[in-house]
Amino acid sequence: MTLITNHMPTAELQALDAAHHMHPFTHGDALAQKGARIITRAHGVTLTDSDGNEMLDAMGGLWCVNIGYGRDELAEAAARQMRELPFYNTFFQTSHVPAIALAAKLAELAPGDLNHVFFAGSGSEANDTNIRMVRTYWAQMGEPERNVIISRKNAYHGSSVGSGSLGGMAGMHAQGGMPIPDIHHIDQPYWYGEGGDTDPEAFGIERARQLEAKIEELGAHRVAAFIAEPVQGAGGVIVPPDSYWPEIQRICDEHGILLIADEVICGFGRTGNWFGSQTYSIRPDIMTIAKGLSSGYAPIGGSIVSDEIAKVMNACEFSHGYTYSGHPVSCAVALENLRILEEEEIVTRVAQETAPYLKEKWQTLAAHPMVGEAQIKGMMGALALTPHKDSRAKFASKPGTVGYICRERCFDNNLVMRHVGDRMIISPPLVIKKDEIDTLIERAWVSLDQAEKLTRDDGLMQAAA
Ligand code: PMP
């Protein structure tokens, strides 16, 4: 077989990709026709593709490259660990230093009494762990009928059968037999899209009280846990009204329901604190972590659980785990990533400088004629595209039609933004500099202008009835 390298012509790489590589969340035939964009290297916030284009990665990979690309320290930590102990499991009463050190470090960083870590290879795996953990916890407590988990529509908690069931993505549930039984979904706190004329804070309370109504409908004795992202990421960066989380916390407390904060995106600095739970004063019993834990340099996820849950779970054998639970190389990389986040005071810098600057600039995009709102929390933002600003109207076209046009314009202008339906979203590396933020905003504005023109030319600037 020919040696496949970065130096091969793009068309050859695309042909091989189409022939042999099946992509996640992708229409394979459509991609084969178009050819995948092939990324060859990256540094800081900049990606280089196989044609030599340099793009500003406003998505931080997939919400994960918090410390930016190209940090040699992480490569060295991985190489060191691979030489010393490339793999050992943590199943049969064995452990190793990287897993011990990372669990101890996470216990130090996590708020409250979240002092115990069950490792996984990804966010999806960690949320699968959570499903089994909360149900086993209640069974151990003598309440085996408490097996219902309440989540939210348009939430994203992963793509395995369990975590995809926790998620509230209708398109995912339509394929492959999801959701599994005893997962229920309430509405999301998405004021811009669903709040109508209600005051945003009143709407936040209303949506939180759906949790209480659902608990009462099902019977509190049947409900094990509620799971939610502090800020919904993949659903389109849905920032809840300030009233929402305190009311959710009250309801969980009053009904004795476990609260799982899915921190896969919000964790490790994205909202300006180490965890989104701190930003919203949430007191979770379990936090799901992944992504920013290793800045995406190595696959790793996990569940950080409270003293109480650990005490109960440790009193039984939990028949659960993954070959790569606490993989030593991933743990070593994560530890080095956390060292950099801490020593370079990246989270503090986000809170004090970078996020306020990004917010100020991002909100200037709200003046664009096709932008209905420019939402932002910390280092995650969204633009709602609209044919009619004042009424917050949706487009008449299939959701995502205009968003896709805009995303393609962004790519052509060397800016990686993603679209979720007709919302454009960003989640850049936390280390993005002010001049790079300026470039991001300039490219976004140009792309919005071009997208607006194309939308008009294609006759798509129509509001849904
Ligand atoms: N939870 C949240 C909030 C996520 O955003 C994601 C991934 N986007 C996951 C879980 C799943 O993580 P993974 O893709 O690592 O399985």
Side-chain angles (χ1 to χ4, degrees), residues 219-289:
H221 65 288
R222 289 216 46 224
V223 182
F226 173 66
I227 182 168
E229 304 150 80
V231 176
Q232 279 156 275
V237 183
I238 312 293
V239 179
D242 288 341
S243 58
Y244 182 75
W245 273 111
E247 188 65 2
I248 290 283
Q249 183 72 59
R250 175 194 70 75
I251 293 165
C252 289
D253 290 348
E254 280 186 24
H255 294 272
I257 308 297
L258 298 177
L259 177 51
I260 308 170
D262 186 334
E263 295 270 3
V264 168
I265 287 177
C266 293
F268 306 101
R270 176 106 357 239
T271 66
N273 285 294
W274 276 92
F275 298 97
S277 293
Q278 294 160 322
T279 300
Y280 286 100
S281 304
I282 308 167
R283 286 177 280 100
D285 300 285
I286 299 178
M287 293 197 312
T288 320
I289 54 169

Side-chain angles (χ1 to χ4, degrees), residues 191-192 194-207 241 392:
W191 178 80
Y192 176 88
E194 300 174 4
D197 295 333
T198 317
D199 165 73
E201 298 308 323
F203 178 75
I205 298 278
E206 221 175 73
R207 285 287 155 107
R392 314 203 306 263

Side-chain angles (χ1 to χ4, degrees), residues 70-84 297 329 332-333 336 339-340:
R71 293 294 303 244
D72 280 344
E73 301 93 320
L74 271 65
E76 274 152 25
R80 251 193 330 269
Q81 189 57 48
M82 279 199 189
R83 289 196 186 96
E84 196 169 292
Y297 280 58
V329 177
V333 169
E336 189 62 9
R339 186 191 66 73
I340 288 174

Side-chain angles (χ1 to χ4, degrees), residues 62-63 121-125 127 156-159 229 233-234 262-265 288 290-291:
L62 211 47
W63 320 83
S122 65
S124 300
E125 285 182 6
N127 277 326
Y156 190 85
H157 296 298
S159 182
E229 304 150 80
D262 186 334
E263 295 270 3
V264 168
I265 287 177
T288 320
K291 294 192 191 275

